[in-house]
């Protein structure tokens, strides 16, 4: 009952906060509105193509390395998640995207804590097929984010979609890794709650205020993570 009450209260607070921000972003008289924010994200994407390309190569190497190097998989994945978060934090300063340089350092710190306290474990054999599929879709969506890049989008997104540069593709990648976290009883759920809130917030803004329809995948993945946490809370011993 306590879990349900906290969940309902948290959901109401989040919806109210999101509604206020989304409403404000529609006001074109503000210096930072939906149009200018989208322009900043596009500019950041274009200015950090080199970093995006490096992140794409690293993602391929680290996923491949993690599959074959089981002992080093946990630290490899955690360090890469921290790297992506710090990349968004640093990139945000060039065009002044406040949400990114306030939110992502906290995410990096929480990931570091979860890794240090062994609350993240990537044992693929212990995962359900459902988690493997949805986690993989989220990682692919971050790697091949079909928005913000120049035309032809389908091709350029494969090369420099801004994972580790701007928020939404990075959130997709982080969600993917967290879904693949096989730790159950000892999992750092506060990290998941924090990432879910960020994913719903950034994805919802992109989808509803900037017409970035690809962010529907991010929202869907975050809702799946929410459902998974809710299910675990209901099934946990009272």
């Amino acid at each position: 009952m306590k879990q349900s009450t906290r969940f309902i209260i948290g959901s109401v607070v989040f919806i109210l906060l999101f509604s206020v921000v989304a409403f404000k972003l529609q006001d074109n008289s503000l210096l930072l509105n939906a149009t200018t924010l989208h322009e900043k994200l596009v500019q950041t994407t274009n200015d950090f193509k080199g970093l995006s390309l490096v992140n794409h190569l690293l993602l391929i190497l680290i996923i491949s390395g993690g599959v074959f190097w089981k002992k080093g998989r946990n630290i490899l994945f955690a360090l890469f998640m921290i790297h992506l978060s710090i990349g968004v934090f640093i990139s945000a300063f060039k065009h002044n995207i406040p949400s990114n340089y306030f939110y992502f350092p906290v995410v990096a710190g929480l990931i570091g804590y979860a890794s240090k306290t062994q609350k993240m474990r990537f044992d693929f054999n212990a995962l359900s097929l459902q988690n493997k599929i949805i986690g993989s879709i989220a990682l692919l969506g971050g790697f091949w984010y079909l928005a913000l890049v120049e035309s032809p989008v389908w091709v350029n997104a494969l090369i420099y979609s801004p994972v580790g540069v701007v928020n939404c593709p990075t959130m997709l990648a982080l969600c993917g890794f967290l879904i693949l976290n096989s730790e159950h009883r000892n999992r750092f759920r506060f990290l998941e709650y924090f990432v879910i809130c960020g994913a719903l917030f950034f994805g919802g803004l992109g989808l509803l205020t900037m017409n970035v329809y690809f962010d529907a995948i991010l929202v869907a993945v975050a809702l799946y993570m929410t459902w998974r946490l809710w299910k675990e809370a209901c099934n946990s011993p009272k």
Side-chain angles (χ1 to χ4, degrees):
M1 187 66 182
K2 289 182 180 179
Q3 288 278 3
S4 301
T5 303
R6 286 199 295 264
F7 181 83
I8 292 169
I9 293 173
S11 299
V12 170
V13 171
F14 176 82
I15 290 168
L16 288 173
L17 176 63
F18 175 82
S19 300
V20 169
V21 175
F23 179 77
K24 284 293 184 182
L25 283 176
Q26 300 304 309
D27 186 354
N28 291 327
S29 66
L30 296 175
L31 288 176
L32 185 64
N33 54 57
T35 301
T36 57
L37 180 56
H38 185 264
E39 290 172 354
K40 287 174 180 286
L41 293 172
V42 171
Q43 290 170 346
T44 303
T45 298
N46 289 331
D47 289 345
F48 289 90
K49 289 179 182 177
L51 177 59
S52 298
L53 177 59
V54 169
N55 289 337
H56 276 222
L57 295 174
L58 282 175
L59 181 61
I60 295 170
L61 290 173
I62 286 171
I63 294 293
S64 302
V67 168
F68 296 105
W69 186 30
K70 294 182 180 180
K71 290 184 178 180
R73 182 186 298 162
N74 293 342
I75 189 64
L76 267 181
F77 286 4
L79 286 175
F80 187 58
M81 292 168 72
I82 292 171
H83 164 77
L84 292 178
S85 302
I86 292 174
V88 180
F89 164 67
I90 294 171
S91 303
F93 283 93
K94 181 162 187 181
H95 294 291
N96 191 26
I97 306 174
S99 57
N100 288 4
Y101 54 69
F102 285 118
Y103 178 80
F104 283 91
V106 180
V107 174
L110 292 173
I111 293 168
Y113 173 80
S115 178
K116 184 178 180 181
T117 54
Q118 299 182 337
K119 295 180 183 293
M120 285 199 301
R121 181 169 58 92
F122 299 96
D123 181 359
F124 298 148
N125 294 326
L127 288 170
S128 67
L129 178 61
Q130 183 174 269
N131 282 332
K132 289 178 183 177
I133 292 173
I134 296 177
S136 299
I137 289 172
L139 284 172
L140 178 62
F143 179 85
W144 196 23
Y145 184 74
L146 298 175
L148 303 179
V149 298
E150 299 169 342
S151 296
V153 173
W154 291 83
V155 176
N156 286 331
L158 276 174
I159 302 169
Y160 67 90
S161 68
V163 61
V165 173
V166 299
N167 42 43
C168 287
T170 306
M171 294 306 300
L172 266 169
L174 295 179
C175 287
F177 280 115
L178 290 176
I179 291 171
L180 295 176
N181 177 14
S182 59
E183 189 61 56
H184 180 63
R185 292 183 180 179
N186 195 39
R187 203 162 80 240
F188 188 28
R189 286 174 173 78
F190 180 75
L191 168 61
E192 292 196 22
Y193 284 121
F194 195 71
V195 168
I196 286 168
C197 287
L200 289 173
F201 185 80
F202 292 126
L205 288 181
L207 181 63
L208 299 176
T209 68
M210 303 177 209
N211 298 323
V212 181
Y213 300 115
F214 197 79
D215 284 343
I217 298 175
L218 176 57
V219 172
V221 167
L223 290 175
Y224 170 75
M225 293 174 68
T226 305
W227 171 81
R228 189 173 72 160
L229 286 171
W230 174 269
K231 183 180 178 183
E232 289 173 356
C234 292
N235 293 334
S236 63
K238 305 298 181 185

